[in-house]
Amino acid sequence: GQQVMQIPQYQHVQEGEDFTTYCNSSTTLSNIQWYKQRPGGHPVFLIQLVKSGEVKKQKRLTFQFGEAKKNSSLHITATQTTDVGTYFCAGERGSARQLTFGSGTQLTVLP
Amino acid sequence: DVKVTQSSRYLVKRTGEKVFLECVQDMDHENMFWYRQDPGLGLRLIYFSYDVKMKEKGDIPEGYSVSREKKERFSLILESASTNQTSMYLCASGGAVSGTQYFGPGTRLTVL
């Protein structure tokens, strides 16, 4: 079945440093979604990428979808303490739009 | 705003008990999902439903069943709880068009 690998599992950065998490799928994806889960919270949708090579930005967050539609990345510029949480990528599959989630990257931002 | 609610935030049960976790969404979404979340494993899909009375197995359905009698409600049932089912359970709903999933607050289940 479809597998989505995500690295790193943990990342500690100083406030102001950049952060990147990477996602790789074993199969070609129709689209990829990114979610953020704050400590003690539930996953919240951030963005969806659909097109090969697509790049989208949300303020300090930059999302990329690979040319082969098998990998993706999330880059945060100049991290802030509000960026703390776990970031998940998720590949879509199936008629009910099921998602296969990566294992997540837990980001800690040190003030 | 989409709202997905789950019946309990915390639940403690004993081995062998039957456990019901309920989820209700208010956005008229066709699709509903149950996941469990464990450290280092991300979210794993247990069951999903794309219509009333329809259900499909996800990646880890063993030991679980589901019920969807009404469009807005999706229940997860542990027929005989075991300690390895101690976990965070997350319900989500999503529309057939957008694919975005909206999650409930989660139920942290402990089986003793």
Side-chain angles (χ1 to χ4, degrees):
Chain A
Q2 181 184 79
Q3 290 187 1
V4 177
M5 284 74 67
Q6 191 173 353
I7 56 168
Q9 189 172 354
Y10 303 97
Q11 185 79 62
H12 293 219
V13 299
Q14 288 291 142
E15 190 173 15
E17 290 182 342
D18 292 356
F19 159 78
T20 306
T21 174
Y22 301 91
C23 198
N24 278 288
S25 170
S26 58
T27 59
T28 302
L29 300 168
S30 58
N31 65 69
I32 194 156
Q33 300 180 24
W34 285 90
Y35 289 78
K36 177 183 178 181
Q37 184 175 23
R38 293 182 188 275
H42 57 273
V44 174
F45 173 79
L46 292 177
I47 207 160
Q48 179 174 266
L49 304 172
V50 179
K51 299 176 184 175
S52 168
E54 190 169 15
V55 178
K56 285 189 176 180
K57 292 192 175 186
Q58 288 180 347
K59 298 183 181 177
R60 293 177 296 104
L61 278 62
T62 302
F63 303 85
Q64 294 191 9
F65 199 12
E67 293 291 340
K69 300 183 75 172
K70 294 181 76 172
N71 61 293
S72 182
S73 65
L74 158 60
H75 179 81
I76 302 178
T77 304
T79 54
Q80 300 175 358
T81 54
T82 53
D83 295 326
V84 164
T86 301
Y87 293 84
F88 292 98
C89 62
E92 191 178 298
R93 58 180 169 142
S95 55
R97 317 202 67 166
Q98 305 95 285
L99 295 175
T100 300
F101 280 83
S103 54
T105 296
Q106 186 176 318
L107 173 64
T108 301
V109 179
L110 304 169
Chain B
D1 261 4
V2 176
K3 195 160 188 183
V4 180
T5 57
Q6 295 184 228
S7 48
S8 307
R9 287 303 303 271
Y10 300 94
L11 209 52
V12 180
K13 295 291 181 179
R14 297 210 173 269
T15 301
E17 281 193 83
K18 191 168 185 175
V19 182
F20 293 87
L21 303 180
E22 294 213 314
C23 175
V24 179
Q25 52 99 359
D26 67 356
M27 277 301 290
D28 202 35
H29 283 157
E30 294 83 358
N31 302 326
M32 295 189 74
F33 309 85
W34 274 107
Y35 297 89
R36 63 176 284 175
Q37 183 175 20
D38 301 288
L41 297 177
L43 284 74
R44 293 180 292 166
L45 182 63
I46 304 171
Y47 264 96
F48 65 95
S49 168
Y50 53 89
D51 202 351
V52 175
K53 296 194 185 294
M54 305 304 288
K55 57 188 179 185
E56 294 281 349
K57 293 180 180 179
D59 300 314
I60 51 164
E62 295 78 19
Y64 303 94
S65 61
V66 290
S67 172
R68 192 167 182 199
E69 296 297 317
K70 294 185 177 181
K71 190 175 184 180
E72 67 271 18
R73 191 178 297 267
F74 192 34
S75 301
L76 180 69
I77 303 152
L78 286 67
E79 295 289 342
S80 178
S82 62
T83 54
N84 62 13
Q85 292 178 311
T86 291
S87 186
M88 171 68 82
Y89 290 88
L90 288 160
C91 173
S93 73
V97 174
S98 79
T100 301
Q101 291 190 14
Y102 298 87
F103 285 82
T107 296
R108 185 165 295 282
L109 172 67
T110 302
V111 183
L112 301 174

